[in-house]
Amino acid sequence: MQSPAAHPMNHPAHVPAAAPPVLALEGLRRSFRQGERTLHVLNGASAALWRGQAVALVGPSGSGKSTLLHIAGLLETPDAGRVVVDGRDCTGFGDNERTRVRRRDIGFVYQFHQLLPEFTALENVVIPQLILGRSRRAAEARAKELLGAVGLGGRLDHRPAELSGGEQQRTAICRALANNPSLILADEPTGNLDPDTSELVFQELLALIHDTGVAALIATHNLDLAARMDRVLRMENGLLVETALTRGAAAR
Ligand SMILES: Nc1ncnc2c1ncn2[C@@H]1O[C@H](COP(=O)(O)OP(=O)(O)O)[C@@H](O)[C@H]1O
Ligand SMILES: [Mg+2]
């Protein structure tokens, strides 16, 4: 089989051909029993993402975007197929190994921020680093750097309820990046924000992806945002299809 890296359309010019993808999804299948019926959500979905790429994941509601992100993030297992993170095939991993890869190498951003309500913005970005054994001092320095970069340097001591929706999502993005993951998975990260805030948070997310060199798979309903990412993957009948979108697609 031809390796995904050899596929010219998938492969950005600035990445050496020998670099393994940060994330490879290979032939993923997942179905759910719904009463008498079986719903086939993923039917052999495959894709590869390389460093520094923001990749949009689009498709109608119910097409399987969240299911795919959960499997890519090792939160759920597929019925068949492989998930390879940084060259490691995680298919046979047990719970402890999956958790370790998730904590070290993957950052998640959800539609609703899921910050810890009792803790400040700073602490929400510090805590995942302490879990990995970083010193409090180093963790706070990293958290301040990230929060400062998204304009929250003056909000470090605010709890989530004292932050606006956009500020909560910015904090959640900083939390996802705190441990220098190689992969970001985001499920409608600006879907709960008003259009202006959504635009600003999206710009910051994109800038952070390109600055840090992570690979990111970002589910979105917004085709204009999708068209501004480096690549677009569309869920179609349980398969991932590389798609070309032009700017302004949603307006037509
Ligand atoms: N745990 C589950 N049990 C049964 N059906 C599910 C489960 N998770 C998702 N589904 C179904 O799978 C389909 C795809 O869902 P989802 O991945 O959430 O789509 P999307 O994120 O694109 O809206 C939907 O029809 C949904 O109802
Ligand atoms: Mg979803």
Side-chain angles (χ1 to χ4, degrees):
M1 197 184 97
Q2 190 188 31
S3 83
H7 194 297
M9 197 169 74
N10 287 347
H11 203 263
H14 62 279
V15 176
V22 173
L23 174 69
L25 306 173
E26 300 176 3
L28 295 178
R29 294 182 176 277
R30 183 77 169 102
S31 53
F32 297 108
R33 296 255 354 140
Q34 292 198 337
E36 298 288 284
R37 297 181 53 237
T38 302
L39 182 68
H40 297 281
V41 177
L42 302 180
N43 291 314
S46 299
L49 276 70
W50 282 268
R51 270 180 59 77
Q53 288 188 334
V55 180
L57 176 60
V58 300
S61 183
S63 61
K65 301 182 297 296
S66 294
T67 301
L68 185 93
L69 288 172
H70 291 153
I71 290 173
L74 308 178
L75 294 163
E76 289 175 25
T77 47
D79 300 330
R82 304 199 309 157
V83 177
V84 184
V85 178
D86 285 330
R88 276 164 308 167
D89 182 356
C90 302
T91 312
F93 280 10
D95 283 347
N96 291 344
E97 281 172 303
R98 300 166 74 82
T99 301
R100 196 164 66 229
V101 173
R102 211 157 49 227
R103 284 182 179 160
R104 293 179 59 95
D105 302 323
I106 305 176
F108 293 90
V109 185
Y110 301 94
Q111 181 172 0
F112 301 99
H113 56 81
Q114 309 224 2
L115 298 169
L116 299 170
E118 301 303 314
F119 292 90
T120 66
L122 183 75
E123 289 164 337
N124 267 281
V125 183
V126 162
I127 288 166
Q129 302 177 67
L130 299 182
I131 290 171
L132 280 199
R134 193 172 274 175
S135 74
R136 176 167 284 274
R137 198 181 145 148
E140 286 190 359
R142 169 79 178 149
K144 284 177 184 169
E145 177 196 356
L146 283 166
L147 289 163
V150 296
L152 291 182
R155 297 283 185 281
L156 302 179
D157 296 329
H158 291 234
R159 297 209 173 129
E162 300 159 351
L163 297 170
S164 70
E167 290 169 342
Q168 290 168 350
Q169 263 332 52
R170 288 181 176 94
T171 306
I173 290 167
C174 293
R175 174 186 57 184
L177 287 163
N179 285 324
N180 300 98
S182 47
L183 176 65
I184 291 285
L185 299 172
D187 202 349
E188 313 261 5
T190 65
N192 192 38
L193 303 174
D194 66 71
D196 289 348
T197 308
S198 167
E199 170 62 27
L200 289 173
V201 171
F202 175 75
Q203 283 176 16
E204 286 162 3
L205 176 60
L206 210 54
L208 283 168
I209 291 164
H210 292 147
D211 288 351
T212 57
V214 291
L217 186 57
I218 304 169
T220 180
H221 272 115
N222 185 325
L223 294 185
D224 277 326
L225 296 189
R228 287 155 58 193
M229 296 193 219
D230 302 303
R231 291 164 54 200
V232 180
L233 298 172
R234 182 185 297 279
M235 281 298 274
E236 235 173 78
N237 302 318
L239 297 171
L240 285 170
V241 181
E242 193 92 30
T243 305
L245 286 179
T246 47
R247 286 193 185 197
R252 282 198 294 272

